[in-house]
């Protein structure tokens, strides 16, 4: 299985990051059967089931104590700019910067990363390949059944990447459905296991799945898809860093399914048995999300704004229960 490494220009913060080495996995995890609903509920974005039919694998002993003793934590990433990706062979991005600060405060000074496909993040976590997932992953009911999520860290919207000039005049997934229902052919690409795949399924849209953002952009640029749906900040960054790709992005939107706006909020993912680690993480996270100033000090260099800061009254319990209507 081939993973495409994204190599964007390093954000300002990346040039001052302490040295850390990238773990070289013995082999990348095979993508699990597509489940959704990323990046809803049962239909809008969950990671696959555990690899090889295995259930959740509990870490032996106290994971928090082990990581503090070792001074290193390994996180799973999927190469999605600007959340977490590789830059010069080292992990970089907004969630990596957040984790360097938070885990550092927890007595874990070194952050290493293992790059896997999106659909392998939760299976890899539960199989013990890494200790947490650093990907801004959407907090969704199906995912909460498989792993434990931190308090909300990032809010986001969706956009479509289309050919330059937007020849079909697409604006959101509803516009894709309207054109298809009207007899036009529109080929839609989505990230495998991403929340947009769940949205498309809920709307009855056929899609082609891609393993990462770079492949999605290439699919549009090569004419194999008319649109690629993904989080707005990721696709906007990708388009800006590839001005000659012949693509552009639509205005961001919040998808509505059955009359309900689909709130996009992501967090860090842990194994369900690692309660001490999760509790300590949430306590330190509060120091980052307590204000716009503290939040943007950590993630502002990666294109995030105050709009990405989750509201204080939004909880993981609500998101896991799908109780946002």
């Amino acid at each position: 299985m081939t993973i495409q490494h994204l190599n964007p220009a390093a954000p300002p913060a990346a040039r001052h990051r302490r040295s850390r080495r990238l773990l070289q996995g013995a082999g990348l995890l095979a993508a699990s059967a597509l489940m959704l609903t990323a990046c809803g509920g049962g239909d809008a974005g969950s990671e696959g089931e555990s690899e090889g039919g295995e259930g959740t694998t509990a870490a032996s002993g106290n994971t928090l104590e082990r990581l503090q003793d070792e001074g290193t934590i390994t996180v799973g990433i999927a190469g999605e700019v600007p959340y977490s990706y590789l830059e010069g062979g080292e992990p970089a991005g907004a969630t990596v910067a957040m984790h360097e600060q938070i885990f550092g405060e927890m007595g874990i000074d070194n952050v290493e990363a293992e790059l896997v496909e999106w659909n392998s993040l939760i299976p890899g976590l539960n199989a013990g390949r890494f200790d947490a997932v650093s990907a801004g992953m959407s907090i969704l009911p199906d995912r909460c059944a498989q792993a434990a999520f931190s308090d909300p860290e990032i809010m986001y919207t969706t956009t479509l990447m289309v050919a330059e000039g937007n020849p079909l005049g697409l604006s959101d997934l509803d516009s894709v459905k309207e054109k298809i229902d009207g007899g036009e052919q529109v080929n839609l690409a989505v990230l495998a296991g991403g929340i947009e795949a769940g949205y498309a399924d809920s709307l009855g849209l056929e899609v082609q799945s891609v393993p990462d953002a770079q492949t999605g952009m290439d699919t549009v640029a090569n004419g194999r898809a008319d649109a690629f749906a993904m989080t707005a900040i990721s696709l906007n960054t990708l388009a800006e860093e590839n001005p000659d790709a012949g693509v552009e992005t639509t205005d961001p939107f919040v998808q509505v399914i059955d009359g309900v706006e689909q709130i996009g909020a992501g967090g860090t993912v842990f194994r369900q048995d690692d309660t001490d680690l999760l509790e300590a993480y949430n306590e330190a996270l509060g120091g980052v999300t307590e204000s716009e100033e503290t939040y943007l000090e950590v993630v502002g260099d990666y294109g995030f704004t105050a709009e990405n800061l989750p509201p204080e009254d939004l909880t993981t319990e609500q998101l896991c229960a799908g109780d946002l209507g």
Side-chain angles (χ1 to χ4, degrees):
M1 173 169 62
T2 300
I3 297 292
Q4 297 194 21
H5 291 202
L6 305 184
N7 291 296
R15 292 193 291 269
H16 305 287
R17 187 165 287 113
R18 59 177 167 269
S19 174
R20 49 195 184 275
R21 65 182 176 83
L22 171 69
L23 284 184
Q24 300 296 330
L28 296 176
L29 297 171
S32 58
L34 178 61
M35 293 187 61
L36 256 210
T37 33
C39 175
D43 298 320
S46 83
E47 272 21 305
E49 296 172 332
S50 298
E51 287 184 302
E54 295 180 0
T56 299
T57 301
S60 60
N62 185 296
T63 301
L64 175 59
E65 292 179 358
R66 173 178 62 81
L67 296 175
Q68 290 172 329
D69 288 342
E70 296 174 354
T72 295
I73 186 169
T74 303
V75 297
I77 67 173
E80 182 179 351
V81 179
Y83 296 96
S84 54
Y85 51 94
L86 297 181
E87 176 63 33
E90 296 184 345
T95 60
V96 172
M98 186 179 295
H99 289 155
E100 287 181 336
Q101 176 163 323
I102 292 174
F103 288 124
E105 293 178 1
M106 294 165 57
I108 307 167
D109 293 329
N110 190 40
V111 177
E112 299 179 341
E114 183 168 341
L115 180 66
V116 301
E117 288 191 352
W118 181 267
N119 259 358
S120 293
L121 286 170
I122 287 182
L125 172 69
N126 286 334
R129 296 291 297 272
F130 29 84
D131 307 300
V133 172
S134 178
M137 182 176 286
S138 299
I139 304 170
L140 303 165
D142 278 2
R143 291 176 176 169
C144 294
Q146 303 174 59
F149 282 79
S150 71
D151 292 338
E153 299 171 338
I154 296 172
M155 304 293 293
Y156 56 83
T157 53
T158 302
T159 193
L160 300 180
M161 178 173 279
V162 296
E164 198 167 25
N166 195 2
L168 296 182
L170 301 174
S171 58
D172 53 22
L173 293 177
D174 291 321
S175 70
V176 173
K177 179 174 175 56
E178 289 172 3
K179 289 189 176 293
I180 293 176
D181 290 346
E184 296 185 47
Q185 181 175 345
V186 182
N187 295 319
L188 175 67
V190 297
L191 179 70
I195 195 168
E196 296 78 19
Y199 296 161
D201 183 65
S202 295
L203 293 171
L205 300 174
E206 294 186 5
V207 302
Q208 55 179 304
S209 297
V210 297
D212 52 54
Q214 180 69 52
T215 303
M217 183 182 74
D218 293 343
T219 300
V220 174
N222 295 332
R224 298 193 304 274
D226 300 300
F228 172 41
M230 200 172 168
T231 56
I233 193 167
S234 296
L235 292 190
N236 288 339
T237 301
L238 197 58
E240 290 169 2
E241 293 174 348
N242 294 273
D244 299 324
V247 298
E248 63 182 61
T249 55
T250 64
D251 289 337
F253 60 91
V254 175
Q255 186 60 45
V256 176
I257 302 293
D258 296 331
V260 178
E261 287 190 338
Q262 302 300 296
I263 304 296
T268 298
V269 195
F270 301 93
R271 287 181 287 271
Q272 291 178 337
D273 289 338
D274 288 337
T275 54
D276 289 348
L277 179 60
L278 173 61
E279 291 172 2
Y281 181 89
N282 279 337
E283 183 176 354
L285 172 62
V288 174
T289 58
E290 65 181 358
S291 71
E292 292 181 8
E293 181 179 3
T294 56
Y295 187 70
L296 296 180
E297 282 179 356
V298 179
V299 301
D301 285 333
Y302 300 90
F304 290 82
T305 69
E307 293 181 354
N308 298 113
L309 177 62
E312 293 182 7
D313 59 352
L314 181 65
T315 69
T316 295
E317 288 73 21
Q318 287 175 304
L319 293 161
C320 284
D323 185 19
L324 298 170

Short mmCIF file of all heavy atoms in Angstrom, two decimals, residues 16-60:
data_model
loop_
_atom_site.label_atom_id
_atom_site.label_comp_id
_atom_site.label_asym_id
_atom_site.label_seq_id
_atom_site.Cartn_x
_atom_site.Cartn_y
_atom_site.Cartn_z
N HIS A 16 10.90 26.12 13.88
CA HIS A 16 11.47 26.25 15.22
C HIS A 16 11.10 25.07 16.10
O HIS A 16 11.13 25.15 17.31
CB HIS A 16 10.96 27.55 15.86
CG HIS A 16 11.25 28.74 15.02
ND1 HIS A 16 12.51 29.27 14.88
CD2 HIS A 16 10.43 29.50 14.25
CE1 HIS A 16 12.46 30.32 14.08
NE2 HIS A 16 11.23 30.47 13.68
N ARG A 17 10.70 23.96 15.47
CA ARG A 17 10.26 22.81 16.23
C ARG A 17 11.44 22.01 16.73
O ARG A 17 12.44 21.86 16.02
CB ARG A 17 9.37 21.95 15.32
CG ARG A 17 8.71 20.81 16.03
CD ARG A 17 7.59 20.25 15.17
NE ARG A 17 6.49 21.17 15.18
CZ ARG A 17 6.11 21.84 14.10
NH1 ARG A 17 6.72 21.69 12.98
NH2 ARG A 17 5.10 22.68 14.15
N ARG A 18 11.32 21.50 17.95
CA ARG A 18 12.43 20.71 18.49
C ARG A 18 12.59 19.43 17.69
O ARG A 18 11.67 18.93 17.05
CB ARG A 18 12.17 20.38 19.96
CG ARG A 18 10.89 19.59 20.22
CD ARG A 18 10.78 19.27 21.69
NE ARG A 18 9.45 18.80 22.02
CZ ARG A 18 8.49 19.59 22.39
NH1 ARG A 18 8.69 20.88 22.45
NH2 ARG A 18 7.29 19.10 22.70
N SER A 19 13.76 18.89 17.70
CA SER A 19 14.09 17.73 16.89
C SER A 19 13.33 16.52 17.36
O SER A 19 13.18 16.26 18.53
CB SER A 19 15.60 17.46 16.98
OG SER A 19 15.92 16.27 16.31
N ARG A 20 12.85 15.76 16.41
CA ARG A 20 12.19 14.51 16.74
C ARG A 20 12.29 13.61 15.52
O ARG A 20 12.25 14.07 14.41
CB ARG A 20 10.72 14.73 17.12
CG ARG A 20 10.00 15.58 16.13
CD ARG A 20 8.70 16.07 16.71
NE ARG A 20 8.01 16.81 15.68
CZ ARG A 20 8.22 18.08 15.45
NH1 ARG A 20 9.05 18.76 16.18
NH2 ARG A 20 7.58 18.69 14.48
N ARG A 21 12.36 12.35 15.73
CA ARG A 21 12.51 11.42 14.62
C ARG A 21 11.17 10.79 14.29
O ARG A 21 10.31 10.66 15.13
CB ARG A 21 13.54 10.34 14.97
CG ARG A 21 13.11 9.43 16.12
CD ARG A 21 14.19 8.42 16.44
NE ARG A 21 13.82 7.62 17.58
CZ ARG A 21 13.03 6.57 17.54
NH1 ARG A 21 12.52 6.19 16.40
NH2 ARG A 21 12.74 5.89 18.63
N LEU A 22 11.03 10.40 13.06
CA LEU A 22 9.81 9.74 12.60
C LEU A 22 9.95 8.24 12.75
O LEU A 22 10.95 7.66 12.35
CB LEU A 22 9.57 10.08 11.12
CG LEU A 22 8.46 9.29 10.44
CD1 LEU A 22 7.11 9.73 11.02
CD2 LEU A 22 8.49 9.49 8.95
N LEU A 23 8.97 7.66 13.39
CA LEU A 23 8.98 6.19 13.48
C LEU A 23 8.74 5.59 12.11
O LEU A 23 7.83 5.99 11.41
CB LEU A 23 7.87 5.72 14.43
CG LEU A 23 8.11 5.89 15.92
CD1 LEU A 23 6.95 5.26 16.67
CD2 LEU A 23 9.41 5.26 16.35
N GLN A 24 9.52 4.66 11.75
CA GLN A 24 9.29 3.96 10.50
C GLN A 24 8.51 2.69 10.80
O GLN A 24 9.02 1.80 11.47
CB GLN A 24 10.64 3.60 9.84
CG GLN A 24 11.48 4.82 9.53
CD GLN A 24 10.82 5.70 8.50
OE1 GLN A 24 10.09 5.20 7.65
NE2 GLN A 24 11.04 7.00 8.58
N GLY A 25 7.29 2.61 10.38
CA GLY A 25 6.46 1.46 10.68
C GLY A 25 6.98 0.23 9.95
O GLY A 25 7.50 0.33 8.86
N ALA A 26 6.83 -0.91 10.57
CA ALA A 26 7.25 -2.13 9.91
C ALA A 26 6.43 -2.39 8.67
O ALA A 26 6.83 -3.10 7.78
CB ALA A 26 7.13 -3.30 10.89
N GLY A 27 5.27 -1.80 8.60
CA GLY A 27 4.40 -1.91 7.44
C GLY A 27 3.16 -1.12 7.73
O GLY A 27 2.76 -1.04 8.86
N LEU A 28 2.59 -0.52 6.72
CA LEU A 28 1.39 0.27 6.94
C LEU A 28 0.19 -0.65 7.14
O LEU A 28 0.12 -1.74 6.55
CB LEU A 28 1.14 1.20 5.75
CG LEU A 28 2.23 2.26 5.52
CD1 LEU A 28 1.92 3.06 4.27
CD2 LEU A 28 2.30 3.18 6.72
N LEU A 29 -0.72 -0.20 7.96
CA LEU A 29 -1.91 -1.00 8.22
C LEU A 29 -2.77 -1.08 6.97
O LEU A 29 -2.93 -0.11 6.25
CB LEU A 29 -2.74 -0.34 9.33
CG LEU A 29 -2.04 -0.25 10.69
CD1 LEU A 29 -2.87 0.61 11.63
CD2 LEU A 29 -1.88 -1.64 11.27
N ALA A 30 -3.36 -2.23 6.72
CA ALA A 30 -4.29 -2.34 5.60
C ALA A 30 -5.53 -1.55 5.94
O ALA A 30 -5.97 -1.56 7.07
CB ALA A 30 -4.65 -3.81 5.36
N ALA A 31 -6.08 -0.88 4.95
CA ALA A 31 -7.30 -0.09 5.21
C ALA A 31 -8.42 -1.03 5.60
O ALA A 31 -8.63 -2.05 5.00
CB ALA A 31 -7.70 0.70 3.97
N SER A 32 -9.13 -0.67 6.66
CA SER A 32 -10.25 -1.49 7.09
C SER A 32 -11.45 -1.23 6.22
O SER A 32 -11.47 -0.30 5.45
CB SER A 32 -10.58 -1.17 8.54
OG SER A 32 -10.89 0.19 8.64
N ALA A 33 -12.46 -2.09 6.35
CA ALA A 33 -13.66 -1.92 5.56
C ALA A 33 -14.22 -0.54 5.82
O ALA A 33 -14.26 -0.10 6.94
CB ALA A 33 -14.69 -2.98 5.95
N LEU A 34 -14.63 0.12 4.74
CA LEU A 34 -15.10 1.51 4.86
C LEU A 34 -16.30 1.59 5.77
O LEU A 34 -17.28 0.92 5.58
CB LEU A 34 -15.49 2.04 3.48
CG LEU A 34 -16.05 3.46 3.49
CD1 LEU A 34 -15.02 4.44 4.04
CD2 LEU A 34 -16.47 3.86 2.09
N MET A 35 -16.16 2.44 6.81
CA MET A 35 -17.26 2.72 7.70
C MET A 35 -17.35 4.19 7.76
O MET A 35 -16.43 4.89 7.53
CB MET A 35 -17.03 2.18 9.10
CG MET A 35 -17.00 0.70 9.15
SD MET A 35 -16.93 0.13 10.81
CE MET A 35 -18.42 0.79 11.48
N LEU A 36 -18.33 4.60 8.04
CA LEU A 36 -18.35 5.95 8.19
C LEU A 36 -19.03 6.28 9.42
O LEU A 36 -20.06 6.06 9.64
CB LEU A 36 -19.25 6.60 7.34
CG LEU A 36 -18.52 7.22 6.29
CD1 LEU A 36 -19.16 8.33 5.86
CD2 LEU A 36 -17.16 7.17 6.32
N THR A 37 -18.75 7.64 8.88
CA THR A 37 -19.22 8.89 8.91
C THR A 37 -18.52 9.80 9.64
O THR A 37 -18.15 10.15 10.36
CB THR A 37 -20.66 9.00 9.23
OG1 THR A 37 -21.01 8.12 10.01
CG2 THR A 37 -21.61 9.31 8.25
N ALA A 38 -16.29 11.49 8.93
CA ALA A 38 -15.14 11.95 9.19
C ALA A 38 -15.21 13.07 8.77
O ALA A 38 -16.05 13.50 8.74
CB ALA A 38 -14.06 12.43 9.30
N CYS A 39 -13.73 13.31 9.28
CA CYS A 39 -12.60 14.07 9.24
C CYS A 39 -12.76 15.31 9.08
O CYS A 39 -13.38 15.76 9.33
CB CYS A 39 -11.63 14.16 9.00
SG CYS A 39 -10.32 15.14 8.91
N GLY A 40 -20.84 10.62 9.25
CA GLY A 40 -21.31 11.04 10.34
C GLY A 40 -21.90 10.07 11.16
O GLY A 40 -21.82 9.05 10.95
N GLY A 41 -22.21 10.23 11.90
CA GLY A 41 -22.77 9.22 12.69
C GLY A 41 -22.62 7.97 11.91
O GLY A 41 -21.80 7.83 11.06
N GLY A 42 -23.51 7.01 12.15
CA GLY A 42 -23.38 5.76 11.47
C GLY A 42 -23.26 5.95 10.01
O GLY A 42 -22.69 5.16 9.32
N ASP A 43 -23.75 7.07 9.44
CA ASP A 43 -23.68 7.27 8.02
C ASP A 43 -22.77 8.41 7.64
O ASP A 43 -22.69 8.76 6.51
CB ASP A 43 -25.08 7.56 7.46
CG ASP A 43 -26.01 6.42 7.67
OD1 ASP A 43 -25.58 5.27 7.50
OD2 ASP A 43 -27.17 6.66 8.01
N ALA A 44 -22.13 9.01 8.56
CA ALA A 44 -21.33 10.15 8.18
C ALA A 44 -19.94 10.16 8.71
O ALA A 44 -19.40 11.18 8.98
CB ALA A 44 -22.07 11.42 8.55
N GLY A 45 -19.20 9.10 8.90
CA GLY A 45 -17.79 9.13 9.12
C GLY A 45 -17.23 8.34 10.24
O GLY A 45 -16.83 8.87 11.22
N SER A 46 -17.14 7.06 10.20
CA SER A 46 -16.42 6.36 11.24
C SER A 46 -15.28 5.61 10.62
O SER A 46 -15.27 5.30 9.46
CB SER A 46 -17.32 5.41 12.02
OG SER A 46 -17.47 4.20 11.38
N GLU A 47 -14.25 5.33 11.39
CA GLU A 47 -13.10 4.59 10.89
C GLU A 47 -13.52 3.15 10.70
O GLU A 47 -14.48 2.68 11.20
CB GLU A 47 -12.01 4.62 11.94
CG GLU A 47 -11.13 5.80 11.82
CD GLU A 47 -11.74 6.89 11.10
OE1 GLU A 47 -12.18 6.74 9.99
OE2 GLU A 47 -11.81 7.93 11.63
N GLY A 48 -12.80 2.35 10.10
CA GLY A 48 -13.17 0.97 9.91
C GLY A 48 -13.14 0.20 11.20
O GLY A 48 -12.80 0.69 12.24
N GLU A 49 -13.49 -1.08 11.09
CA GLU A 49 -13.42 -1.93 12.25
C GLU A 49 -11.98 -2.33 12.46
O GLU A 49 -11.12 -2.10 11.61
CB GLU A 49 -14.29 -3.17 12.01
CG GLU A 49 -15.75 -2.80 11.87
CD GLU A 49 -16.57 -3.98 11.44
OE1 GLU A 49 -16.02 -4.86 10.78
OE2 GLU A 49 -17.75 -4.01 11.77
N SER A 50 -11.70 -2.91 13.59
CA SER A 50 -10.32 -3.26 13.90
C SER A 50 -9.77 -4.21 12.85
O SER A 50 -10.47 -5.04 12.29
CB SER A 50 -10.25 -3.92 15.28
OG SER A 50 -10.67 -3.04 16.28
N GLU A 51 -8.46 -4.09 12.61
CA GLU A 51 -7.82 -4.92 11.62
C GLU A 51 -7.92 -6.39 11.98
O GLU A 51 -7.86 -6.78 13.13
CB GLU A 51 -6.33 -4.57 11.54
CG GLU A 51 -6.06 -3.27 10.89
CD GLU A 51 -4.58 -3.07 10.78
OE1 GLU A 51 -3.90 -3.08 11.81
OE2 GLU A 51 -4.10 -2.92 9.67
N GLY A 52 -8.04 -7.17 10.94
CA GLY A 52 -8.02 -8.61 11.13
C GLY A 52 -9.10 -9.10 12.05
O GLY A 52 -9.00 -10.16 12.63
N GLY A 53 -10.17 -8.31 12.23
CA GLY A 53 -11.26 -8.73 13.08
C GLY A 53 -10.97 -8.58 14.55
O GLY A 53 -11.75 -8.99 15.39
N GLU A 54 -9.81 -7.99 14.92
CA GLU A 54 -9.47 -7.86 16.33
C GLU A 54 -10.28 -6.74 16.97
O GLU A 54 -10.60 -5.75 16.36
CB GLU A 54 -7.98 -7.52 16.47
CG GLU A 54 -7.07 -8.63 16.00
CD GLU A 54 -5.63 -8.25 16.18
OE1 GLU A 54 -5.36 -7.14 16.65
OE2 GLU A 54 -4.77 -9.07 15.83
N GLY A 55 -10.60 -6.90 18.21
CA GLY A 55 -11.27 -5.85 18.95
C GLY A 55 -10.26 -4.89 19.51
O GLY A 55 -9.06 -4.96 19.22
N THR A 56 -10.73 -4.00 20.36
CA THR A 56 -9.84 -3.03 20.98
C THR A 56 -8.79 -3.75 21.80
O THR A 56 -9.08 -4.63 22.59
CB THR A 56 -10.65 -2.09 21.88
OG1 THR A 56 -11.58 -1.40 21.07
CG2 THR A 56 -9.74 -1.10 22.58
N THR A 57 -7.54 -3.34 21.61
CA THR A 57 -6.44 -3.93 22.36
C THR A 57 -6.02 -2.98 23.47
O THR A 57 -5.53 -1.89 23.21
CB THR A 57 -5.23 -4.19 21.43
OG1 THR A 57 -5.65 -5.06 20.39
CG2 THR A 57 -4.08 -4.81 22.20
N ALA A 58 -6.22 -3.37 24.70
CA ALA A 58 -5.85 -2.51 25.83
C ALA A 58 -4.35 -2.52 26.00
O ALA A 58 -3.69 -3.55 25.90
CB ALA A 58 -6.53 -3.00 27.09
N ALA A 59 -3.80 -1.34 26.26
CA ALA A 59 -2.37 -1.26 26.53
C ALA A 59 -2.09 -1.88 27.89
O ALA A 59 -2.88 -1.77 28.82
CB ALA A 59 -1.92 0.20 26.51
N SER A 60 -0.95 -2.54 28.00
CA SER A 60 -0.62 -3.15 29.28
C SER A 60 -0.15 -2.08 30.24
O SER A 60 0.59 -1.18 29.88
CB SER A 60 0.48 -4.20 29.08
OG SER A 60 1.64 -3.60 28.54
#
